[in-house]
Amino acid sequence: MAQTSTMENLTTETPENLTTETLKKKLFDSVMQQKWNEVAEIYKDSRAHTITITHSGETALHLAISDPKSENKVENVKKLVRHIKKEDRLEVLNLQTEKGNTPLHSAAETGLSGKTCKSLIESVSGVNYENALKLVRARCKKGESPLFKAVHYDRLGSFFYLHSIIREHFGENFSNFERNDGQSILDDPIIRSILVRDDGQSILHDAIIRKNFALAFYIIQLYKDLVNHVDNQGESPLHALARKPAAFKSGKSLHGWVDSSYINITNLLPTRSQHNIFNTTSLLCYSPSQRRHYFIPFSYIVLTKEKLFMREKSYYFSFIFEGDAAVRKIYAEKEKHIWADQVLNELLKHATMYDKKGSVHRPGHGQQSGSDEGSDEGPIEGNISPSERLKLSSLSVAGKDESSKIEMKDTAILIAAKCGIVEMVKRIIDKFPVAIYDAGQERKNLLLVALENRHLKIYELLLKKYPPKCVIFQKVDINGNTALHFAARYSDSVRSWPVPGAALQMQWEIKWLEFVEKTMPPRLFFRTNTNGETPSEIFSNDHEPLVKAGGEWLVGTATSCSVVAALIVTIAYASSTTVPRGTDSDSGKPKLRQIPTFELFAIASLAALCFSVTSLITFLSILTSRHEEKDFDKNLPRKILLGLSSLFASIAAMLVTFSAGHFLVFEDKFNYAAFPVYAVTFLPLCLFAAAQFPLYIDIFRASFWNPF
């Protein structure tokens, strides 16, 4: 009864006698309380259709579409639209907020299934796709269409439905674009306004930047011309993908059980044949009646995560300890990597950035000239003119006029090398061998970029593909820096090696330079750049702060450990010269020499003395060391390793000595009761070992194992 009374009051209060302010207040209150039935009653007054009730300029329809808590959002939206006259619906649905968003923009942002978009478009179009296209091509202040919003927020249902409207409108023209008969889909200004925003970025750019790789894959299938489109900064979708190292396995550091679990996760995505459901005959040519029930492709992911987990959990030994959440995290990571890998394949499949350039003569990869003159004096251009070289260095070309206006930028392969994406570098080289000669604005080629950013895997890939005498290994940048100059450089911004501490970093820096030197011609060792610096001089100057920091760490560690070692030496010396129960007055031999525990006591006390003295001398040698660059290679790390090993052994031997001596003093009294005491005595050793063992392992690994 109360609800009936409320409806009657609303009915009597909504005619024209209500002021606009009163109407606005009632509308605002009802929307904030999510009373959509009351909002629908208020919407019978045409003035309510255009009233903005928020500071950002949103109408009640905007808010009804964006309501995240409503369980019947589509029905609520239909109720509001139903009270708008048909002749006014197109105008109302084109009302924009301060950001320029129409109700369809809001529906594309929030609609997972696309049903809200469908209800709005069908309310103005029916079978008239002209009106539908007017809504679809509306742009906000950033120049984004509703389709662009759907991509930005990864709304697959909204995206596919809005795409079907575009395709239905253009009909045969869209088929011509798909056949690649010389026309580009971006030649049409309407389609371009839908797919590209004001800064020149397309929906494919945005999907990759937002890491929506599954959607990016489908965009390539539907709009192949976007692969070679560049934005206002001259960057293509391949550039955007090259800046996403975390999208590939090479950008993640996987160890132990994580790597094992990652490898064992299989069959994440549909096979290539299953992807064929997205061709024009099966996905795009639905009749309007069929499209009414179509929003998301059936085989978006054929295997559900739940079934996959039930099938794969037997492979995870760590599942018992880490739990389902950890496995799901690895699953999501690998799923992202596989989608990104497929996007990369599709981008390279349709890329045309090196077309008309692959036939240009280039020195062979294994070419060895009879004379090396000039090969390391600067960039080797062969028979390429400067203008041709400039063209060869630009990656993506959107059109004849666009490419001439874009300033030369780093190509996608150079960006991938900078970010350490081995998969992308390898695929681009395999697809376009000429890409190996690309150079950036400072004339840094692929090799120099990889060395500058410490990407060992990319450098090893180049060593595997090309012989050391290939010209790419002898290139120099605009400042005359060779590969050895870049390997010798160091700064805080440089990618650090996966070892802790300044001393171990310095050790790996030395090994890194030695590794690069082995692969370079000897004549480059003393080659100077334009500043007159050799690689060794650059190495010494740039690593001076690191040498200082590493020396300070070693001195601090050696000082602390030498104090402990000195104490153990004192105790071990006293115990080694002490004989429990004394000696026989006649023979002068220990009275307990026949007892095995006495032999253990004697051996342990001697071992404690030897190890503690060794540890003390080792740490003192570190303190008196000059801490030069060469000392960090093997000398200092091995000394600290020997000192810690001896210290651990001396502490253990000292505790064994104490326990054995105590056992002899008690004879047969309280022997078994003393065992727990002996166990507790070893607790300090365990705690010390637990605290220092990770450091010990790091030093051992850095000294005896490295990837170079």
Side-chain angles (χ1 to χ4, degrees):
M1 294 294 294
Q3 184 175 1
T4 306
S5 177
T6 302
M7 291 299 178
E8 290 176 355
N9 291 336
L10 280 171
T11 305
T12 59
E13 292 177 356
T14 53
E16 289 76 2
N17 58 351
L18 284 177
T19 63
T20 303
E21 287 299 320
T22 304
L23 188 65
K24 180 177 180 179
K25 185 177 184 306
K26 283 184 171 293
L27 189 61
F28 177 81
D29 292 340
S30 299
V31 170
M32 292 299 103
Q33 297 174 23
Q34 297 181 336
K35 297 179 179 179
W36 298 112
N37 289 331
E38 293 184 9
V39 174
E41 289 296 322
I42 298 174
Y43 245 56
K44 291 180 179 179
D45 190 329
S46 60
R47 291 178 298 168
H49 305 162
T50 57
I51 292 178
T52 58
I53 58 176
T54 65
H55 293 295
S56 56
E58 293 173 309
T59 65
L61 184 58
H62 282 95
L63 296 176
I65 294 171
S66 304
D67 183 11
K69 298 180 180 180
S70 177
E71 297 179 356
N72 301 312
K73 180 191 296 185
V74 177
E75 292 302 319
N76 293 335
V77 171
K78 286 182 177 180
K79 288 179 183 179
L80 299 185
V81 174
R82 197 178 297 125
H83 292 301
I84 304 174
K85 295 180 180 179
K86 289 186 177 181
E87 57 271 20
D88 297 333
R89 286 179 184 174
L90 185 61
E91 179 183 355
V92 172
L93 292 180
N94 271 312
L95 291 176
Q96 295 180 314
T97 64
E98 289 186 357
K99 293 182 178 180
N101 292 329
T102 66
L104 190 58
H105 281 90
S106 299
E109 288 180 6
T110 59
L112 295 175
S113 65
K115 293 180 180 179
T116 309
C117 293
K118 181 174 182 287
S119 65
L120 292 177
I121 289 178
E122 288 186 346
S123 68
V124 299
S125 64
V127 293
N128 183 1
Y129 284 95
E130 289 291 338
N131 288 340
L133 191 66
K134 290 179 181 178
L135 294 181
V136 174
R137 63 179 296 193
R139 290 158 62 92
C140 66
K141 290 189 176 180
K142 289 183 179 180
E144 296 174 345
S145 65
L147 183 73
F148 207 112
K149 289 286 188 183
V151 172
H152 188 76
Y153 292 97
D154 197 22
R155 307 304 186 191
L156 281 168
S158 299
F159 168 78
F160 282 109
Y161 178 76
L162 294 174
H163 163 75
S164 68
I165 298 298
I166 298 171
R167 176 182 168 77
E168 193 70 28
H169 175 80
F170 285 94
E172 183 61 30
N173 290 333
F174 204 95
S175 300
N176 293 337
F177 295 141
E178 290 176 342
R179 288 195 295 266
N180 292 322
D181 58 355
Q183 300 184 57
S184 170
I185 201 168
L186 297 178
D187 291 340
D188 189 288
I190 296 178
I191 296 182
R192 185 184 181 89
S193 68
I194 296 173
L195 303 181
V196 182
R197 67 183 178 194
D198 292 344
D199 62 359
Q201 287 191 349
S202 68
I203 58 175
L204 184 54
H205 283 89
D206 193 72
I208 294 174
I209 291 172
R210 300 278 292 183
K211 300 181 182 179
N212 300 330
F213 298 117
L215 184 51
F217 177 87
Y218 299 128
I219 290 174
I220 297 173
Q221 308 305 311
L222 301 174
Y223 302 100
K224 294 181 176 62
D225 292 328
L226 295 181
V227 170
N228 297 293
H229 172 74
V230 294
D231 61 16
N232 295 346
Q233 301 300 319
E235 297 203 348
S236 69
L238 197 58
H239 284 82
L241 188 59
R243 287 192 168 89
K244 301 294 179 185
F248 298 89
K249 185 182 179 182
S250 60
K252 288 288 184 179
S253 180
L254 304 176
H255 301 289
W257 74 269
V258 176
D259 187 48
S260 176
S261 299
Y262 183 97
I263 294 172
N264 285 317
I265 295 177
T266 56
N267 300 327
L268 283 175
L269 303 175
T271 63
R272 183 66 187 174
S273 61
Q274 289 168 325
H275 278 315
N276 288 338
I277 191 172
F278 300 104
N279 62 29
T280 55
T281 59
S282 58
L283 173 66
L284 305 175
C285 295
Y286 287 109
S287 65
S289 60
Q290 290 173 314
R291 190 184 299 109
R292 189 174 299 116
H293 303 288
Y294 161 75
F295 297 105
I296 299 178
F298 174 74
S299 65
Y300 169 54
I301 291 184
V302 173
L303 299 176
T304 64
K305 295 184 178 181
E306 290 73 21
K307 291 181 180 179
L308 179 66
F309 278 121
M310 292 301 294
R311 183 180 304 175
E312 298 291 344
K313 279 179 182 177
S314 59
Y315 293 104
Y316 306 134
F317 297 104
S318 59
F319 175 76
I320 299 174
F321 305 101
E322 299 295 335
D324 188 68
V327 178
R328 286 180 178 273
K329 184 177 180 180
I330 301 172
Y331 175 96
E333 197 69 32
K334 185 163 186 177
E335 182 183 29
K336 178 180 68 175
H337 293 169
I338 293 179
W339 275 117
D341 190 72
Q342 295 201 26
V343 169
L344 174 59
N345 289 338
E346 294 300 314
L347 288 175
L348 293 178
K349 177 182 176 181
H350 302 290
T352 60
M353 60 266 196
Y354 291 103
D355 285 3
K356 303 179 182 179
K357 301 169 187 175
S359 59
V360 176
H361 172 69
R362 277 291 181 186
H365 298 152
Q367 181 177 345
Q368 302 178 18
S369 59
S371 172
D372 292 328
E373 293 181 10
S375 63
D376 57 352
E377 296 300 324
I380 298 177
E381 302 296 341
N383 296 323
I384 307 302
S385 66
S387 60
E388 289 174 325
R389 178 59 186 168
L390 181 62
K391 291 179 181 179
L392 187 60
S393 296
S394 85
L395 180 63
S396 299
V397 178
K400 296 178 180 179
D401 296 333
E402 267 184 301
S403 61
S404 61
K405 297 178 182 179
I406 295 173
E407 181 184 357
M408 186 184 69
K409 301 181 69 67
D410 285 346
T411 60
I413 193 172
L414 294 178
I415 296 173
K418 184 176 181 180
C419 296
I421 307 178
V422 183
E423 297 91 339
M424 181 176 290
V425 172
K426 185 178 184 302
R427 302 275 181 80
I428 293 178
I429 292 176
D430 291 342
K431 177 74 174 179
F432 306 105
V434 73
I436 195 65
Y437 299 101
D438 283 355
Q441 292 181 346
E442 295 183 0
R443 295 210 311 233
K444 297 176 186 175
N445 68 356
L446 181 61
L447 177 77
L448 300 182
V449 171
L451 291 174
E452 182 182 28
N453 293 277
R454 300 288 197 276
H455 291 304
L456 177 62
K457 291 182 179 180
I458 294 179
Y459 184 62
E460 289 177 334
L461 173 66
L462 297 178
L463 289 175
K464 184 178 179 181
K465 280 185 167 291
Y466 306 97
K469 289 189 177 181
C470 180
V471 292
I472 63 168
F473 290 91
Q474 303 172 34
K475 292 282 188 174
V476 297
D477 72 348
I478 196 171
N479 296 314
N481 293 306
T482 65
L484 287 178
H485 285 89
F486 282 102
R489 292 194 180 279
Y490 180 82
S491 65
D492 293 337
S493 60
V494 168
R495 175 175 172 265
S496 60
W497 299 110
V499 289
L504 299 184
Q505 284 289 328
M506 186 63 199
Q507 183 189 33
W508 277 37
E509 284 290 309
I510 295 172
K511 293 182 182 296
W512 163 248
L513 182 60
E514 291 175 347
F515 173 72
V516 177
E517 284 178 344
K518 292 178 182 177
T519 61
M520 292 293 166
R523 65 178 180 276
L524 296 182
F525 293 179
F526 304 102
R527 169 74 184 272
T528 60
N529 58 17
T530 55
N531 295 326
E533 298 172 314
T534 63
S536 60
E537 291 173 344
I538 290 179
F539 186 86
S540 298
N541 294 333
D542 287 4
H543 289 80
E544 186 176 348
L546 190 62
V547 170
K548 182 179 179 181
E552 291 175 351
W553 178 81
L554 287 173
V555 168
T557 304
T559 301
S560 302
C561 293
S562 61
V563 172
V564 178
L567 292 174
I568 297 175
V569 167
T570 305
I571 299 171
Y573 178 77
S575 62
S576 64
T577 57
T578 302
V579 179
R581 291 203 190 175
T583 59
D584 192 321
S585 58
D586 296 330
S587 64
K589 295 181 179 180
K591 295 179 179 180
L592 304 177
R593 64 182 182 276
Q594 301 298 330
I595 301 177
T597 306
F598 179 79
E599 295 179 359
L600 177 63
F601 171 83
I603 295 173
S605 62
L606 181 61
L609 180 61
C610 293
F611 282 122
S612 60
V613 171
T614 302
S615 177
L616 180 60
I617 294 174
T618 303
F619 288 127
L620 289 176
S621 68
I622 294 175
L623 292 174
T624 57
S625 174
R626 291 173 295 179
H627 298 158
E628 295 181 350
E629 293 172 10
K630 60 181 180 180
D631 296 332
F632 285 88
D633 184 11
K634 296 179 181 178
N635 187 12
L636 291 176
R638 292 186 179 181
K639 280 183 178 180
I640 195 73
L641 188 64
L642 175 61
L644 288 174
S645 301
S646 301
L647 185 61
F648 283 139
S650 64
I651 294 175
M654 183 189 68
L655 293 176
V656 171
T657 302
F658 164 77
S659 300
H662 196 266
F663 187 86
L664 291 173
V665 170
F666 272 101
E667 294 183 347
D668 296 330
K669 300 176 182 178
F670 312 113
N671 282 346
Y672 295 103
F675 287 152
V677 178
Y678 301 153
V680 173
T681 304
F682 280 87
L683 184 61
L685 175 63
C686 297
L687 294 177
F688 182 76
Q692 298 297 326
F693 194 69
L695 172 63
Y696 182 83
I697 293 299
D698 288 334
I699 297 175
F700 185 86
R701 184 170 62 92
S703 299
F704 297 99
W705 176 90
N706 61 75
F708 307 112

